[in-house]
Every structure is written in structure tokens, then in C-alpha cells.
Amino acid sequence: MSASAVFVLDLKGKPLICRNYKGDINMAEIDHFMPLIVQREEEGNLTPLLIHGKVHFLWIKHSNLYLVALTNKNANAALVYSFLYKVVEVFTEYFKELEEESIRDNFVIVYELLDEVMDFGFPQTTESKILQEYITQQGNKLETAKSRVPTTVTNAVSWRSEGLKYKKNEVFIDVIESVNLLVNSNGSVLLSEIVGSVKLKVFLSGMPELRLGLNDRVLFELTGRCLGNKNKTVELEDVKFHQCVRLSRFENDRTISFIPPDGDFELMSYRLNTQVKPLIWIESVIEKFSHSRLEIMVKAKGQFKKQSVANNVEISVPVPSDADSPKFKTSVGNAKYVPEKNVVVWTIKSFPQGGKEYLMRAHFGLPSVETEDLEGKPPISVKFEIPYFTVSGIQVRYMKIIEKSGYQALPWVRYITQSGDYQLRTN
């Protein structure tokens, strides 16, 4: 079973819009939701599922809104939460930003969408590209000839329209990896993981079948093939696919086979819980002379492949909130003080590997009156992007495009590694 009703509430718990799908629940039950939230927050015991009598509230918070599904049956909770997150995605596609104001400004379209995405408590068409074909943001023009629902809605492939035509058939594949890293002040790595995603931009005619091959360790173990020492294989964890991927095929022989949606979409995401060598290593010395000044010295060094270059590197070094009169000296790039964030941002447009160390020195004045040291020691954070490189070594081995008309199509592949939550603690 699924949801009986769906509500969108503001931060005070006042309903902005709601839809009763099954009529088996009293809509006034929503009045108990906000008091339950407040009570649980005070007790420090807030859960994503709240119960009042026989009614279950399954809720998520987005921006300044609560999206709440109500049910009095033994519902499939995972399905309801997936649905709520999908509704957020659809509304964001339509209104760019999903917040209280965008709901108030577009309540007619919101009602239409709530009618389409769920029927009698069961999720229906949740693919925004398909919904945009017949729920438009322009005023309704009465054209009887065009009031036909796209056949896609009743197709087995509900995420792709039929009859698409392109002069040039192309697929662009982006393999993007974010590195999450936390390094202790003594230089030991406390946490490191890679979060990756494979994003596609598809311009293909007809109804093509695509097969994507990766250097997946499990596949090579299944088939008994060996890649040799040169090419390493990757063991992917927490793999999550777009709904177009045939999961049974993947589970049987690890083939990623799918009929893609048109345009941009995320095909899959994955995680690797491996020990990552810090790609940009930072050493810092921060000396505080009480009542007078603060001296900062930061060394940065690239530890990635020699032929690679890190672009748009930003190193944010925290400083006390009462620091003033900054002076900087850098061996490369430029540094600036951002007082509203209490940081010095050292920007390096292009950071080659080469084993060279780069240096930034900063000098700040401190007030003569001693302030209480309640600010703690925030870590240094680093942002960067390294094109043509993946930390995990994941590779697209092939992309086969099969379509009944037999056209030739070009797949283009791009690899990018970027910083995720990348932090180094200071002494």
C-alpha cells in the first residue's frame, strides 16, 4: 500500500496545498503533525516517521517546506519516501526553486502535477520530461486537437517519447568523482571516500538500446577474464541506477543495459570506501601573538598524476573574527580576506603537479583587548577540479548503441575529479 493523502506545509505547519487520494483518512489529522514535530525536537528524538493514533506521517523537509504523506495502512515506507523526493525533483524542474513562494505562485500547476504523479495512492508518471509534454507552464489554450495525452504515459518505456529525430546522433558521458577527505592536524587521514556518478547527455533518434561497459571487478571475476597489471578493475559499492536500467540483466551478468531518456540525466551513482591519498596536500603554521598579531603560513603541494592539472583551486584558511588589517604574500595565485566568513581564500587558477610546493603567507593585526577563545579551530577546506582523471581508476570500456534503423552514433567520454567535503585540521 502507499499514501492516502499528500500535504505541502510551510514551516509553521500551515497547509499550502494538499491532495486526498483515497478518501480513507480525515484531512484534519494534519493538525497533529506540527505539535508532534515540536514535541520530538524538544525531546531530541525526531524521526522521519511520526504516529498519531492510527495515522502515520511520513515526512521530508525541503527549503522552507514540509512534504508530508499520510497513511493509516501498513504502507511501503521506502516507496513513499522515494515518491516524496521524486516530487521535490519534479517541482524543482518546473519552478527552478522549490519553496513556499513558488508553491503559492504556481498552485494550479502543482494541483495538476499532484493529480498526475499519483493515482489512488500509487505513484504514476514521475518523469518530469514526460510531464512537461502535457502539463505546460503557459496558460491553458483550448485546442481540442492537441488535448491528447502523449502515448509515452501508457508505454512500457515511460521516460522516453517515441519518434525523436536528430541530424547528428551523439551521446556525451561524464564520469564525475567527488573526494571526501578529513585529515587530522598530525597528518593522518581520518576519513576518505569517493562518491561518483555517471551522467549522460543523449541526442539519439528513435528508441535506441544502450550498453555501457565499465572496468568492473565483479564482471571480470564472473567472466573469468584478467586485465593484467596495466589496467586495474574497480569494485563499486552502493550502486544506484536510474529507473531505465534493466536491473535483472545487471544482477545476472553485470551488463548495464538501458533505453535512455532524452537529454540530460544521471545514469548511476556509486561510492568507494577506499584510502585516498590526499590529492592536494596542505601544511599550515598558524601563530597567534596575543594582543598584537596573527601570522599564517600555508604550503600547498599537488599529489596527483604528473600529466594532470588541478583547476580553480580555492584554499580557505580560517582566521579569528576580530582579525584586521590583512597583508598577503603568495608564490602563485592571489589571496583575499573574506571577513563575512572569517577566512582567507587563496585562489590558484591552474595548479600543476610537478612536486613543487607553493607558499602563501598572511599577516593580520589582532585587537589589544583579549577576546574569549570560544571560536574553536575550524579546519582548512579545499576546492578543486581535475579534468581527464578519476581517483578510483574507473573507465568506460565501451558504449554500444543499437537501434533498428542501424545508424552510427558517436559516444564522447569525459572524466572529472573534484573536491567534495575536503578538510584538513590545523594545529
Side-chain angles (χ1 to χ4, degrees):
M1 296 300 288
S2 192
S4 294
V6 171
F7 282 82
V8 180
L9 313 176
D10 65 13
L11 286 178
K12 292 176 183 170
K14 187 181 166 196
L16 299 173
I17 208 158
C18 62
R19 181 76 175 80
N20 189 351
Y21 289 105
K22 293 169 80 173
D24 64 347
I25 217 159
N26 182 355
M27 297 296 272
E29 287 286 346
I30 196 68
D31 297 340
H32 303 294
F33 173 72
M34 213 58 205
L36 279 171
I37 289 265
V38 173
Q39 182 193 332
R40 288 293 187 89
E41 273 182 337
E42 283 171 359
E43 293 169 0
N45 183 25
L46 193 58
T47 55
L49 189 145
L50 303 169
I51 301 168
H52 179 265
K54 286 186 177 180
V55 179
H56 298 77
F57 302 100
L58 294 90
W59 63 279
I60 63 169
K61 191 179 178 187
H62 179 86
S63 181
N64 55 359
L65 298 170
Y66 288 102
L67 280 84
V68 190
L70 275 64
T71 179
N72 59 3
K73 297 276 196 310
N74 185 15
N76 179 342
L79 175 71
V80 176
Y81 286 117
S82 295
F83 172 75
L84 291 175
Y85 282 110
K86 197 72 193 173
V87 166
V88 168
E89 208 177 289
V90 169
F91 286 174
T92 308
E93 285 273 329
Y94 266 83
F95 315 130
K96 300 290 178 267
E97 292 289 331
L98 175 57
E99 50 191 31
E100 187 183 332
E101 196 177 337
S102 56
I103 295 287
R104 289 187 189 279
D105 291 348
N106 299 284
F107 76 93
V108 175
I109 292 170
V110 173
Y111 266 125
E112 285 186 51
L113 289 169
L114 287 174
D115 270 347
E116 291 299 332
V117 293
M118 185 171 265
D119 190 23
F120 199 67
F122 293 96
Q124 301 293 313
T125 307
T126 55
E127 200 60 45
S128 52
K129 284 191 178 72
I130 302 304
L131 288 163
Q132 281 166 352
E133 287 186 25
Y134 60 103
I135 297 179
T136 57
Q137 281 168 291
Q138 287 79 41
N140 285 339
K141 300 182 182 106
L142 193 64
E143 292 179 36
T144 48
K146 286 189 180 178
S147 61
R148 189 170 57 86
V149 172
T151 52
T152 319
V153 178
T154 53
N155 273 0
V157 182
S158 63
W159 52 86
R160 185 178 178 88
S161 302
E162 288 178 353
L164 291 167
K165 281 191 173 67
Y166 287 100
K167 278 185 181 175
K168 197 174 182 184
N169 292 292
E170 293 179 306
V171 181
F172 296 90
I173 307 162
D174 279 353
V175 181
I176 301 164
E177 290 191 339
S178 298
V179 180
N180 295 337
L181 188 83
L182 180 61
V183 178
N184 209 339
S185 55
N186 61 11
S188 57
V189 176
L190 299 178
L191 176 144
S192 75
E193 68 171 0
I194 301 161
V195 179
S197 68
V198 178
K199 294 183 178 178
L200 268 67
K201 200 173 203 172
V202 177
F203 303 109
L204 294 174
S205 308
M207 275 282 180
E209 163 105 18
L210 273 60
R211 282 182 205 148
L212 178 71
L214 303 170
N215 55 336
D216 176 10
R217 184 171 302 164
V218 182
L219 169 68
F220 285 92
E221 285 168 1
L222 270 175
T223 54
R225 282 184 288 167
C226 180
L227 272 175
N229 294 333
K230 269 191 177 179
N231 302 311
K232 70 172 193 171
T233 55
V234 176
E235 194 169 342
L236 306 174
E237 300 167 41
D238 293 349
V239 181
K240 192 173 105 187
F241 289 112
H242 186 273
Q243 67 182 47
C244 66
V245 175
R246 293 188 176 90
L247 292 179
S248 54
R249 183 90 193 264
F250 180 75
E251 280 158 15
N252 285 341
D253 59 11
R254 303 291 283 190
T255 302
I256 302 168
S257 169
F258 57 98
I259 294 171
D262 191 43
D264 296 313
F265 73 102
E266 183 177 280
L267 176 70
M268 62 181 281
S269 61
Y270 58 90
R271 190 175 61 84
L272 287 163
N273 216 341
T274 53
Q275 197 70 28
V276 183
K277 187 169 125 183
L279 296 170
I280 291 179
W281 183 251
I282 305 288
E283 283 178 33
S284 63
V285 178
I286 299 173
E287 287 182 291
K288 201 172 181 180
F289 300 88
S290 58
H291 311 309
S292 62
R293 70 189 195 280
L294 176 78
E295 301 277 354
I296 297 170
M297 187 202 73
V298 177
K299 274 187 203 168
K301 185 180 174 183
Q303 297 192 142
F304 40 88
K305 282 184 179 175
K306 276 204 167 73
Q307 59 270 37
S308 298
V309 172
N311 295 331
N312 304 319
V313 177
E314 274 188 17
I315 300 161
S316 299
V317 185
V319 295
S321 56
D322 53 357
D324 57 29
S325 45
K327 290 174 191 159
F328 305 112
K329 195 176 179 183
T330 60
S331 62
V332 66
N334 60 343
K336 66 170 182 177
Y337 176 41
V338 185
E340 62 271 21
K341 291 182 180 172
N342 299 325
V343 291
V344 173
V345 179
W346 179 18
T347 310
I348 304 164
K349 272 270 178 276
S350 180
F351 192 115
Q353 204 273 14
K356 259 183 87 176
E357 283 187 348
Y358 298 105
L359 206 63
M360 187 271 286
R361 289 180 186 274
H363 173 105
F364 282 88
L366 288 173
S368 54
V369 181
E370 189 74 53
T371 55
E372 282 188 58
D373 201 9
L374 296 172
E375 289 176 12
K377 292 179 181 174
I380 292 173
S381 62
V382 186
K383 287 182 186 171
F384 59 84
E385 192 174 273
I386 307 171
Y388 320 116
F389 168 73
T390 56
V391 201
S392 65
I394 193 170
Q395 284 178 337
V396 174
R397 290 174 44 247
Y398 62 82
M399 167 66 91
K400 288 179 184 167
I401 300 160
I402 306 146
E403 216 276 330
K404 61 186 176 190
S405 63
Y407 61 69
Q408 290 296 306
L410 291 168
W412 304 91
V413 186
R414 181 171 64 164
Y415 300 97
I416 300 167
T417 290
Q418 59 192 24
S419 54
D421 193 7
Y422 194 105
Q423 298 185 335
L424 301 99
R425 290 178 178 167
T426 58
N427 281 316

